[in-house]
Amino acid sequence: MTSLLRLYFIILLSLFAFAANSVLCRLALADGLIDPASFTMWRLLSGAATLALLCFFQFFKTKNTSIKMIWLEGSWLSALSLFIYAMGFSYAYVTLETGIGALILFGAVQLTLILFAVWAGQKLAVMEWFGLLVAFAGFAYLVFPTLSSPSLVGFILMTLAGIAWGLYTWRGKISSKPLFATTSNFIRTLPILVIALIVISVNSTYAINSGTFDGILYAVISGAVTSGIGYALWYAVLPHLSASLAAVLQLLVPVIATIGGVIFTNESVTLHLVMATLSVLGGVLFVILAKKRTPKNA
């Protein structure tokens, strides 16, 4: 019972971290406090530094950890997925409204994970499909009033970000040491980041500036806390979740982010928000109940 409660607690922390990432990114980019490339740079750098520090403490605590062991836990494919997600996420929100951007991102994540699950031979029960549909319908209903025709570039960037995050999540299911894997993946993004910054800097269309103090602060918090530590926690729980459950749980993130907006920016609580929240939570409940019944039937 204790281990189960601990699992639920870590899942909840991970989802709150994801939601905080969205809020921090909006705060930094909406007011032009920093450009997308610089936000991504500070986010990945601070995330890699924080995770490396945690591994350093782990090294002295256990005495059986080596740098080589940490490095081998990650992979270049996961690192590339992480980088594409982070960069695409930042640039997409320059041209997309928050609602349509979130719908594209998490819709792409969910579809990617479901396709991976089906490709791997996982058969979804009728109750799981129903839960997925209910949760996605609630999510669509949540953002529907803000929908408009998105820019083609923004749509493509956010779709790529969602697919990349779906792949990163799927890869996390095979990780036996989540902290080491996340650290290795963050560190591996740095050479990719250098190449990308060089390409962007020679393209006058996307200017890179130093950013304001507040913009850099938001990016560092996003990287060190809500990305670095948050993703390590998410990697820790992924082996205990099915791909379909991991997908539908992430649909809770925009709901949490919206509630965070109500709390921190004095937005009003509407019947529309309550109905959307209940729909998403109901869909998640259906998937969880279906997963509990599946092993018995099998």
Side-chain angles (χ1 to χ4, degrees), residues 103 134-147 251 272 276 279-280:
L103 178 61
V134 171
F136 189 78
F139 181 40
Y141 177 71
L142 175 66
V143 301
F144 182 76
T146 64
L147 293 183
L251 288 179
H272 170 263
S279 179
V280 174

Side-chain angles (χ1 to χ4, degrees), residues 19 23 26 142-143 252-263 265 267 273 277:
V23 174
R26 292 170 195 160
L142 175 66
V143 301
L252 291 171
V253 175
V255 177
I256 299 172
T258 303
I259 294 174
V262 171
I263 296 174
T265 62
E267 296 175 357
L273 174 61
T277 303

